[in-house]
Amino acid sequence: MEKRFIYADNAATTKVSDAVLNAMLPYFNEQYGNASSIYGMGRNAKRDLEVSREKVAKALSCDPKEIYFTSCGSEADNWAIKGVCERLAPRGKKHIITSVFEHHAVLHTCEALERQGFEVTYISIDENGIINLDELKNAIREDTAIVSIMYANNEIGTIQPIKEIAEICQEHDVIFHTDAVQAIGSVEINVKELGVDLLALSGHKIHAPKGVGALYIRKGLVLPNFIHGGAQERNKRGGTENIPAIVGLGVAMEEVTTGIPQRVENVTKLRNKLIDGILEIPHTRLNGDREKRLCGNCNISIEGIEGESILLMLDMYGICASSGSACTSGSLDPSHVMLSLGLSHEIAHGSVRFSISDETTEQDIDYILEVMPKIVNRLREMSPLWEKIIEAEG
């Protein structure tokens, strides 16, 4: 079997597209002006900064003045949640609602706010990774400041009923924030139709560079300054703007929000083939809802072996995958997302995530499906846990 190189970890990060790279290059050594400078090169940088803002706004169907550039999705999440809490705490609103399987950018922010006297309610998810809307309704109180529910989960790919959540929040006059880092480019997003108040996104998930993101803040919602310093981002976020990355983000948003239905259809076919093929291996299970999931996400638990071991052997075959969030890959603990599904520690440890893109080919899928049974069989032969599972079956 000829060894191939297959990148199937796009949920962790994506490569910069050719169009994005070409758009960025002049801003490193030709148009390198500071957007706050008043001479020509500075004015050009400011102009291109605002053009990129318009591109991001168009992709989300909002006003450019509602878009604020950040360094990443985590910063956008922090600004949204901390900003709302700081603004509403003096009114006695010190209650936050989120879900148990949010990205750590949200969970750790909520934990930090708990240490400052805020109370947090963590909404559960069902066995398919979808939140319960009735549980959300019942959790809202008079002192609830913000609800933060991610658009699509970064590990199992489940897509949440964002519009319905927004309607519930509107009925109770509660601000709604969604982390849409994984959803951009896979779901058509119109923030006005959805009714969200705050939406976070990140460039490196959509073929823009690392180190740039954005926060949509609905017009009329005023948040405190997140970084004090200069007058950048309409006095809300001090610091010289990263013009090359922002230009790249604008181009990437144009690219990934064009032709979404066809791209989703094509990638979904490959994803389903991958899911069906791996599930032919005995004692495997798909994590997350089969239909309400991102088109490129395939997260499967394989009993009797650990995900880290699978990843190491996949790497030997030239395949890049993940056992969970890239942000917690150094942890030895089972994924909190897997545990929130009700999985045992043993099964949670045996999860592997393939996240494919429109650059993935059918030959790539065939290669993964050829390799996976060999890897699983070899690891199970060395696994005491697998021996116990076989013995228990009789």
Side-chain angles (χ1 to χ4, degrees):
M1 178 176 58
E2 182 182 355
K3 182 178 177 180
R4 299 167 59 97
F5 173 78
I6 298 173
Y7 186 76
D9 200 18
N10 289 276
T13 197
T14 58
K15 75 172 185 179
V16 172
S17 74
D18 290 342
V20 168
L21 178 61
N22 291 334
M24 291 173 58
L25 286 176
Y27 296 91
F28 289 105
N29 58 7
E30 295 175 15
Q31 296 296 328
Y32 51 86
N34 187 320
S36 297
S37 301
I38 63 172
Y39 45 76
M41 186 180 287
R43 293 196 304 273
N44 290 341
K46 177 67 172 178
R47 176 200 64 208
D48 296 337
L49 168 69
E50 296 307 326
V51 168
S52 294
R53 197 186 311 277
E54 290 170 2
K55 290 178 179 178
V56 175
K58 183 179 180 181
L60 298 178
S61 299
C62 66
D63 190 306
K65 293 182 179 179
E66 296 174 301
I67 297 298
Y68 294 82
F69 291 114
T70 64
S71 66
C72 58
S74 292
E75 181 191 321
D77 287 336
N78 272 257
W79 186 5
I81 298 170
K82 291 179 179 177
V84 168
C85 289
E86 180 182 337
R87 175 176 169 240
L88 297 183
R91 303 183 196 176
K93 291 184 177 289
K94 301 190 71 174
H95 178 232
I96 304 165
I97 298 175
T98 189
S99 79
V100 293
F101 79 154
E102 296 294 311
H103 189 277
H104 281 112
V106 169
L107 292 179
H108 289 170
T109 298
C110 289
E111 290 168 8
L113 289 166
E114 282 185 290
R115 292 191 290 271
Q116 297 176 27
F118 288 83
E119 184 179 348
V120 182
T121 297
Y122 296 91
I123 301 296
S124 63
I125 56 173
D126 65 21
E127 61 182 9
N128 293 321
I130 307 294
I131 72 159
N132 186 301
L133 294 177
D134 289 331
E135 186 180 352
L136 172 61
K137 290 178 186 176
N138 294 333
I140 296 177
R141 311 184 320 207
E142 286 295 324
D143 63 340
T144 302
I146 187 171
V147 170
S148 179
I149 304 292
M150 67 195 329
Y151 206 125
N153 185 265
N154 51 303
E155 292 191 36
I156 60 175
T158 48
I159 300 172
Q160 302 303 312
I162 297 299
K163 185 175 177 63
E164 289 82 353
I165 296 171
E167 290 171 351
I168 292 170
C169 291
Q170 289 171 354
E171 289 172 7
H172 294 82
D173 195 27
V174 174
I175 292 172
F176 176 40
H177 158 257
T178 186
D179 177 335
V181 165
Q182 293 289 340
I184 300 293
S186 295
V187 179
E188 292 188 285
I189 297 177
N190 182 318
V191 291
K192 302 303 181 184
E193 291 183 359
L194 286 174
V196 300
D197 299 299
L198 299 153
L199 181 145
L201 62 90
S202 181
H204 77 105
K205 308 292 188 179
I206 56 171
H207 304 289
K210 301 168 185 65
V212 66
L215 177 64
Y216 158 76
I217 305 177
R218 174 183 53 78
K219 189 179 297 184
L221 175 58
V222 180
L223 296 188
N225 293 9
F226 190 64
I227 297 178
H228 297 278
Q232 294 87 356
E233 294 305 288
R234 297 188 295 286
N235 295 304
K236 289 296 182 181
R237 183 188 183 276
T240 302
E241 301 92 343
N242 185 351
I243 300 299
I246 289 172
V247 168
L249 178 61
V251 173
M253 288 292 284
E254 283 186 321
E255 282 193 311
V256 301
T257 56
T258 300
I260 289 179
Q262 186 60 52
R263 183 167 64 251
V264 168
E265 180 181 352
N266 295 339
V267 176
T268 299
K269 290 178 181 177
L270 293 177
R271 180 206 69 192
N272 288 343
K273 179 176 181 177
L274 180 60
I275 290 174
D276 292 338
I278 297 178
L279 289 180
E280 290 183 5
I281 300 172
H283 290 272
T284 56
R285 59 155 281 158
L286 176 67
N287 297 314
D289 192 274
R290 179 67 191 247
E291 302 299 329
K292 299 174 183 175
R293 70 188 302 124
L294 295 174
C295 61
N297 180 284
C298 167
N299 188 308
I300 291 180
S301 287
I302 303 171
E303 290 189 58
I305 51 180
E306 292 189 353
E308 296 295 328
S309 299
I310 300 172
L311 296 185
L312 290 172
M313 292 201 69
L314 283 170
D315 187 41
M316 292 173 63
Y317 283 97
I319 301 170
C320 304
S322 171
S323 60
S325 170
C327 300
T328 56
S329 60
S331 173
L332 296 177
D333 296 326
S335 159
H336 72 286
V337 174
M338 296 299 123
L339 296 179
S340 69
L341 291 172
L343 303 184
S344 67
H345 277 60
E346 291 78 13
I347 295 178
H349 263 306
S351 66
V352 59
R353 178 189 68 184
F354 297 96
S355 43
I356 63 176
S357 73
D358 54 349
E359 294 189 356
T360 305
T361 66
E362 190 158 9
Q363 290 72 32
D364 293 337
I365 301 299
D366 290 338
Y367 181 71
I368 295 173
L369 293 178
E370 183 179 0
V371 164
M372 277 299 290
K374 299 177 182 178
I375 291 175
V376 172
N377 290 338
R378 180 171 180 189
L379 291 175
R380 282 177 171 172
E381 287 174 356
M382 301 183 289
S383 170
L385 179 59
W386 179 244
E387 288 183 9
K388 292 180 181 179
I389 292 172
I390 296 302
E391 289 174 1
E393 286 190 339

